[in-house]
């Protein structure tokens, strides 16, 4: 009965390949946003819908958006690596494979923890972008995002998803 399940694990290649393709696409999009920031700073490019902003503010907005895009690309990359490690690879995770220790995925809880941490960072960057773009028109409703970020971080700490068997607190 185990053989069909063992063979079926290779269907996870779909998640791995498309996550890597999505990651590659987002890296390209992030690079294009960074190039737009260079266009603003060095060539004086100002989009029609952002004429009311100073060129420095437009360039910084592009850089913040590129940072956000790169972070999401990294999430997809980490997810692909984690799925590969958990379902395809038969190597021992304790061996030194040249991979940073935080990207190793000994179990699904650890992968969830890594992804949740990066998502919290992405939300923080998104909050920074929203505040930066609306700096002259800040409202109390904007506090919902940082409060939810703090609650998610506290919940993540309470869940302790990254605990590996045999590891001390």
């Amino acid at each position: 009965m185990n053989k069909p399940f063992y063979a079926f694990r290779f269907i996870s290649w779909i998640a791995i390949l498309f996550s890597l393709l999505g990651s590659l696409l987002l890296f390209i999009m992030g690079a294009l946003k960074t190039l737009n920031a260079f266009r603003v700073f060095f060539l004086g490019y100002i989009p029609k819908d952002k004429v009311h902003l100073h060129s420095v503010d437009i360039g910084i907005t592009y850089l913040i958006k590129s940072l956000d895009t790169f972070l999401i690309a990294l999430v997809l990359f980490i997810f692909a690596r984690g799925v590969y490690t958990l379902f395809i690879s038969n190597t021992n995770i304790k061996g030194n494979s040249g991979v940073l220790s935080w990207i190793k995925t000994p179990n699904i809880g650890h992968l969830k923890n890594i992804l949740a941490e990066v998502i919290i960072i992405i939300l923080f960057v998104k909050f920074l972008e929203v505040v930066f773009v609306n700096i002259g028109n800040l409202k109390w409703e904007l506090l919902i995002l940082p409060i939810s970020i703090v609650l998610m971080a506290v919940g993540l700490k309470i869940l302790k998803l990254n605990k590996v068997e045999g590891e001390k607190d």
Side-chain angles (χ1 to χ4, degrees):
M1 184 66 181
N2 284 342
K3 287 191 178 192
F5 285 107
Y6 185 77
F8 194 70
R9 73 187 175 114
F10 289 106
I11 201 159
S12 61
W13 273 110
I14 295 170
I16 295 166
L17 291 175
F18 283 97
S19 293
L20 287 174
L21 287 173
S23 178
L24 178 65
L25 177 64
L26 286 173
F27 275 118
I28 292 168
M29 290 171 60
L32 291 175
K33 289 176 185 180
T34 304
L35 288 175
N36 275 337
F38 276 96
R39 283 178 53 198
V40 168
F41 284 127
F42 296 115
L43 302 176
Y45 169 73
I46 307 252
K48 292 179 184 176
D49 60 337
K50 300 194 191 293
V51 175
H52 63 285
L53 293 174
H54 191 273
S55 64
V56 173
D57 295 335
I58 297 168
I60 292 173
T61 304
Y62 276 125
L63 289 175
I64 291 173
K65 287 181 179 183
S66 71
L67 175 66
D68 196 34
T69 306
F70 286 133
L71 284 171
I72 296 170
L74 286 172
V75 166
L76 286 173
F77 177 76
I78 291 168
F79 175 76
R81 173 67 166 84
V83 170
Y84 175 78
T85 302
L86 290 172
F87 295 103
I88 305 295
S89 175
N90 289 326
T91 59
N92 185 359
I93 61 164
K94 293 184 182 189
N96 186 6
S97 63
V99 178
L100 297 174
S101 62
W102 64 270
I103 202 171
K104 290 182 183 177
T105 31
N107 56 41
I108 197 77
H110 190 76
L111 178 61
K112 285 181 184 178
N113 189 62
I114 291 171
L115 294 176
E117 287 174 352
V118 177
I119 288 170
I120 289 170
I121 294 169
I122 289 169
L123 288 174
F124 177 74
V125 170
K126 194 54 124 176
F127 172 68
L128 178 66
E129 177 187 339
V130 168
V131 167
F132 192 76
V133 169
N134 298 309
I135 195 73
N137 191 20
L138 295 177
K139 297 182 181 175
W140 288 102
E141 292 85 20
L142 285 177
L143 287 177
I144 292 171
L145 193 55
I147 289 171
S148 63
I149 292 169
V150 168
L151 289 175
M152 285 191 303
V154 168
L156 185 62
K157 184 69 174 169
I158 290 171
L159 285 176
K160 296 180 183 175
L161 292 173
N162 64 342
K163 186 167 170 94
V164 180
E165 288 183 27
E167 194 177 82
K168 295 180 182 179
D169 278 339

